[in-house]
Amino acid sequence: MASTIETLERELGEAQRERENEQRAVVRAENAHEAACAARDEAWAERPTDDPEVERLTELVYRRRRELYEAIDRLKAAEGRERRIKSRLMYVLPAERRRYLSGEVDEEFEAFLVAARELYREELPGVEISVITERPGELDLRGDATWRALERLYSGTVRRWVEIRAPSPSPKLADLAALISHYAGGHTPRLFAAGEELRTPPAPRNVRPLPGYDTPQGRLALARITTRRYLDENSVSRLSKRPEVLVQIAEIARLYQTVNLTVDEIRWRLEQLVSLRLEVLRAVYRLTSERRRFSFYEIARAARLLDGHFPDPAVAAEALLEAVDRAIRTGVPLVDVAYMSVTR
C-alpha cells in the first residue's frame, strides 16, 4: 500500500505536468489571439468597417479572446491544485528538511570535503565526494518517495546536496556522512554504493576530528563552514572579527542540530545570539546542553537582557546562571528573574 508521501508525490507530479500543459495552452491561445488581432487591424486599414471580411475577422478576434480567457482559467485552476497538494505535502514531510545544502559552496567548503575524503581514504578506498547542483526545472527523481517529493516541491529553485559514492557498501559510509553533516549544518548527504542508493542510517554520536583542523585557524574555518549554512555572509563577516565568538556560535548551532529543528528554526535562534558576548554565549551553550526545562526563547531573552545591562560580560554570564538556579528553586519564570536582577 502506497504511503501518504508517495501518493502526494505522484499527485504533485501529475499536477505539475497538467500545469505545464496549461501554460503551453495559454501561450498558444495568446499567439492565436494576437494573430487574429493583427489580421483584423490590417483589414480595418484597407476596408470599411461593415465589410464582411472585417466582420469575420472581428468575430474571430472575439472567439480567440474567449479561448484565451478559458485557457487562463484552466491554468489558474491547475496552479491552485498544485498549491493545495504542495501545502499537504509540506505538512507530512519530515520536519528536518536537511536533504538540501543551504548557503553557498565556496573553496573553504570544498577543502573541507577533500579533508573528509582523505580521513576515510584507507577505510573507504575509492570513495568520492561531490556537490551536486540542480537548476530550476531540473529534477533528480532517484531515491525514495521523500526525496522525489522534495525535488518536486522545490523544483523552482536551485538545489544542492553532497553525494558520497563508494565501490561497495560499508558501515564507515555512515560515519563519513555523519562527519559531513556535523560541520555542514546538519545536511544529510546522499550515499551510493556500487551504483545503488543507500538509506542514510542514524548519525553516530562520535565524530572523528579532522586532521589539519585542530588549530585555531582550522577551528575557525570549520566554524565559518557551519555558520554559513544558517547566517548571511554579512553576519559571518562581522562574527569573523570576533573569532572566539564565531566558534562558540558554531558550537551552539551544532548543538541545535541534534534537536528536531528545521534550518529556518536554527537560523532564527542563532540570529538572536549573534550580538552576545563570548562569556554569555558560553553560559547559553551550557544551559542549552544541560537544562531542558527552559525554552530557547526564555534563555535567549534573559541572556540579551543581562548582557545589555552588565558592563562586565563575566558578571552577565554569572547572573544568567544564577537566574536559572533561582528560577528552578522558586518556580518564577526565568525572564522575570532576569528582569528583577537588573532592576534591584
Side-chain angles (χ1 to χ4, degrees), residues 43-104:
W44 263 352
E46 300 175 352
R47 306 181 184 187
T49 56
D50 57 352
D51 186 88
E53 181 65 14
V54 173
E55 293 179 354
R56 186 186 69 80
L57 291 174
T58 301
E59 183 183 353
L60 178 63
V61 167
Y62 293 153
R63 186 164 65 252
R64 292 287 184 260
R65 186 175 300 167
R66 184 169 59 252
E67 293 172 354
L68 173 60
Y69 291 159
E70 291 173 353
I72 292 175
D73 289 341
R74 291 194 300 271
L75 174 60
K76 296 299 182 184
E79 290 175 341
R81 178 170 178 254
E82 181 183 2
R83 283 195 301 270
R84 290 191 294 272
I85 296 175
K86 282 184 175 181
S87 298
R88 293 165 59 196
L89 197 52
M90 286 286 290
Y91 182 78
V92 301
L93 278 173
E96 42 90 13
R97 303 218 198 354
R98 290 179 181 153
R99 297 206 181 195
Y100 293 126
L101 186 64
S102 59
E104 295 297 323

